[in-house]
Amino acid sequence: MAKSSYQTYRRRTRSYRNWLELPDDVTASILSRLGAIEILTRAQKVCMPWRKICKDRLMWRTIDMRNDGFLRDYDFDLDKMCRHGVDRSSGGLVDINVEHFGTDELLKYITNSSTGIRRLRLVCCYGITDEGLIEVASKLPLLEHLEISFSFASAQSLEVIGRSCPLLKSLKLNKYGYRCPYHECDDDALAIASTMHDLHHLQLCGNKLTKDGLQKILDCCPNLESLDLRKCFNINFGVVSKRRCSKRIKSLRLPDDSTDDYEFDRANRRELYAQTHCDPDYGDFLLFGRSVFGRDW
Amino acid sequence: MSRVFKLKSSDNETFEVEEAAALLSETIKSSSSTEITVPNVKAEILGKVVEWCNKHAESEDTKDQLIKEWDAEFVSVDQHVLFKLITAADYLQIKELVDQLTQRVGDMIKAKTLKTVEMTYPTFNVEREVQEELKSLGF
């Protein structure tokens, strides 16, 4: 190497060295923000100090398996990856996010070894059934935050979860919203009202509940601070009830409110949004197909 | 009567900080004196940390959109300054600032804009060891 380019190399590497001098817990904080997939496939390969941090069980208290849903683009098995993350947590898992994959067996695997889960997020998990949720509900006694969005969770599993998780403070149950006046259903609302009395935060976008279901929730959940009812097109709010509701609830989002900051808004997230409002389940079915067969389905 | 704290940088410059801003630092909170020397942190960096604390002490609602934008601007610095800010914020144990800074570094890693010698010239042995492990685990 010529002398000047060697000096450049030395100067550059000297200034690069710093990042390994950060305390381990700070580095862990940085790497944990990459999400489990990136940690396992990239971050832990960079150097030995980072590899050591990535193997530490404290890094795996939170497992964020976020991905954009195009499973065919990945060369690896997200289910196996998730189980590996759970193994690395050695029972210390408290917060897990599963998106666009997941089965009842995986749910069982997660809850069998981790008894202290406080936050569980399941988004587009078409392999997880009602029976699967009901079976693991009793293994989530410390659950405080639950999200089941665009998955097949019925009122029955909601009831079992509500009864098994007395500490539940936040529930997000998002579905595709359709303007379909003949499809009203208060089952979810009644399940929530009857079993989840300590809710502080509720997000029910795209639900088919009516004003009656909403009233039941308001009657039975006295601690509700925030309520997101966007795309719940079956609720007819009068001026008076809107005012009464917003007096009680600090943060209220109404059915026709803007979805600019809604995570699953078309523009915010690449999700298929069925245009038809003839068959309410069409959108779910379309997305299911896409998650199984790939984006060209 | 709110106390005034004096923070001294490693190059002997002193910053006066009101109590509300100063107590965002756990290190200062648990210190018995109101005069604290911050080792290894120069005035330029300490000044920025003080600026962040002042901004966050005066805003009551940290979820406010304006302060979010201000915070985003604050962490948009080059990686050398970022490194020094993290070190300072970690020493002073200002949790929210450390969180914002580490989030920024995480974003830079994801976007592949963070340059470290390890990332530019990765160690062959580590990569091979990890590949073998991943293969044995079946993914």
Side-chain angles (χ1 to χ4, degrees):
Chain A
M1 237 194 283
K3 195 172 178 214
S4 59
S5 53
Y6 176 72
Q7 279 175 337
T8 310
Y9 168 79
R10 286 297 301 157
R11 193 173 51 236
R12 216 182 287 143
T13 55
R14 252 203 313 272
S15 68
Y16 286 162
R17 280 278 160 225
N18 287 341
W19 292 95
L20 294 189
E21 289 162 15
L22 285 175
D24 279 359
D25 59 337
V26 177
T27 305
S29 172
I30 293 172
L31 297 181
S32 65
R33 295 170 197 279
L34 299 176
I37 298 171
E38 182 125 359
I39 291 171
L40 288 172
T41 57
R42 277 184 62 214
Q44 67 164 352
K45 292 186 199 174
V46 169
C47 57
M48 281 312 274
W50 281 20
R51 170 138 172 83
K52 187 162 154 274
I53 289 170
C54 290
K55 286 180 90 162
D56 190 303
R57 65 185 290 258
L58 290 180
M59 270 284 277
W60 299 92
R61 281 171 60 81
T62 299
I63 296 178
D64 182 1
M65 299 280 310
R66 64 180 184 264
N67 62 87
D68 58 14
F70 293 114
L71 302 182
R72 272 219 296 235
D73 296 348
Y74 294 114
D75 289 333
F76 35 75
D77 186 331
L78 293 185
D79 183 288
K80 281 213 177 88
M81 213 172 247
C82 186
R83 286 171 197 248
H84 183 58
V86 171
D87 292 343
R88 282 198 186 178
S89 76
S90 301
L93 180 65
V94 295
D95 181 339
I96 180 161
N97 173 29
V98 180
E99 291 184 17
H100 296 287
F101 71 102
T103 60
D104 290 344
E105 285 67 42
L106 177 64
L107 208 51
K108 244 192 286 194
Y109 190 86
I110 294 169
T111 53
N112 276 343
S113 65
S114 320
T115 53
I117 294 178
R118 300 212 188 102
R119 185 186 290 261
L120 176 62
R121 188 170 184 264
L122 306 170
V123 173
C124 300
C125 301
Y126 294 100
I128 292 179
T129 67
D130 256 359
E131 290 72 36
L133 284 167
I134 289 170
E135 195 175 339
V136 302
S138 59
K139 304 221 183 88
L140 297 163
L142 300 183
L143 197 64
E144 294 176 26
H145 304 264
L146 176 64
E147 174 163 3
I148 307 178
S149 290
F150 312 108
S151 307
F152 301 127
S154 77
Q156 197 197 356
S157 52
L158 284 180
E159 262 180 58
V160 175
I161 289 168
R163 280 198 293 270
S164 312
C165 307
L167 302 179
L168 198 66
K169 299 222 165 5
S170 156
L171 175 69
K172 292 185 186 182
L173 191 75
N174 297 316
K175 303 182 175 174
Y176 287 105
Y178 299 92
R179 292 186 189 274
C180 225
Y182 309 113
H183 287 95
E184 295 179 347
C185 184
D186 281 322
D187 288 353
D188 291 341
L190 295 177
I192 292 167
S194 64
T195 61
M196 298 179 183
H197 303 295
D198 199 27
L199 278 187
H200 289 243
H201 308 282
L202 180 58
Q203 185 180 54
L204 271 184
C205 298
N207 201 281
K208 299 186 195 123
L209 85 164
T210 69
K211 215 164 125 192
D212 297 330
L214 173 60
Q215 191 56 54
K216 228 24 225 236
I217 291 174
L218 292 173
D219 290 341
C220 300
C221 302
N223 296 324
L224 217 48
E225 296 166 21
S226 74
L227 182 57
D228 190 344
L229 298 168
R230 284 176 286 181
K231 302 198 205 184
C232 296
F233 298 124
N234 293 335
I235 302 178
N236 294 313
F237 269 107
V239 174
V240 175
S241 45
K242 233 184 244 181
R243 217 183 298 150
R244 214 184 303 150
C245 216
S246 52
K247 252 199 198 141
R248 240 200 76 177
I249 313 283
K250 278 192 224 160
S251 164
L252 176 66
R253 309 302 284 269
L254 298 170
D256 287 299
D257 278 357
S258 156
T259 51
D260 281 351
D261 63 341
Y262 175 49
E263 188 188 348
F264 304 107
D265 182 77
R266 261 171 106 176
N268 293 342
R269 189 167 158 127
R270 274 190 304 167
E271 292 281 359
L272 251 182
Y273 192 92
Q275 296 293 335
T276 177
H277 45 259
C278 302
D279 182 347
D281 296 319
Y282 182 66
D284 297 318
F285 181 63
L286 218 50
L287 199 74
F288 169 71
R290 219 184 73 156
S291 78
V292 171
F293 301 110
R295 75 173 98 176
D296 304 319
W297 187 76
Chain B
M1 182 65 200
S2 111
R3 291 181 290 169
V4 171
F5 289 77
K6 292 201 169 88
L7 298 186
K8 201 154 121 183
S9 70
S10 60
D11 47 357
N12 286 323
E13 203 175 312
T14 306
F15 294 86
E16 291 199 346
V17 190
E18 294 278 337
E19 184 165 13
L23 294 187
L24 291 176
S25 153
E26 287 296 327
T27 307
I28 295 178
K29 222 177 185 173
S30 51
S31 159
S32 46
S33 154
T34 56
E35 288 187 18
I36 294 114
T37 307
V38 188
N40 300 323
V41 179
K42 293 213 171 118
E44 184 202 340
I45 298 298
L46 189 55
K48 284 187 79 79
V49 175
V50 168
E51 191 191 341
W52 188 95
C53 290
N54 285 336
K55 184 77 179 179
H56 278 251
E58 81 188 21
S59 290
E60 286 191 355
D61 186 8
T62 50
K63 290 205 175 116
D64 189 50
Q65 188 58 29
L66 284 173
I67 206 179
K68 272 200 180 135
E69 286 171 9
W70 189 91
D71 284 340
E73 270 282 338
F74 184 85
V75 300
S76 299
V77 289
D78 80 53
Q79 64 178 62
H80 301 289
V81 177
L82 204 54
F83 176 87
K84 292 176 193 167
L85 282 172
I86 291 182
T87 311
D90 182 55
Y91 178 86
L92 289 168
Q93 293 183 78
I94 306 169
K95 183 177 188 302
E96 210 204 309
L97 179 54
V98 174
D99 284 349
Q100 286 179 14
L101 293 166
T102 52
Q103 180 64 53
R104 166 93 180 131
V105 180
D107 293 342
M108 286 175 79
I109 293 176
K110 268 211 108 110
K112 301 185 186 167
T113 52
L114 190 80
K115 298 219 178 333
T116 70
V117 68
E118 291 77 18
M119 297 184 88
T120 317
Y121 310 104
T123 315
F124 174 69
N125 289 336
V126 186
E127 177 139 12
R128 192 180 49 190
E129 181 186 309
V130 174
Q131 292 289 43
E132 276 170 19
E133 181 192 65
L134 296 184
K135 222 191 303 186
S136 75
L137 290 166
F139 57 82

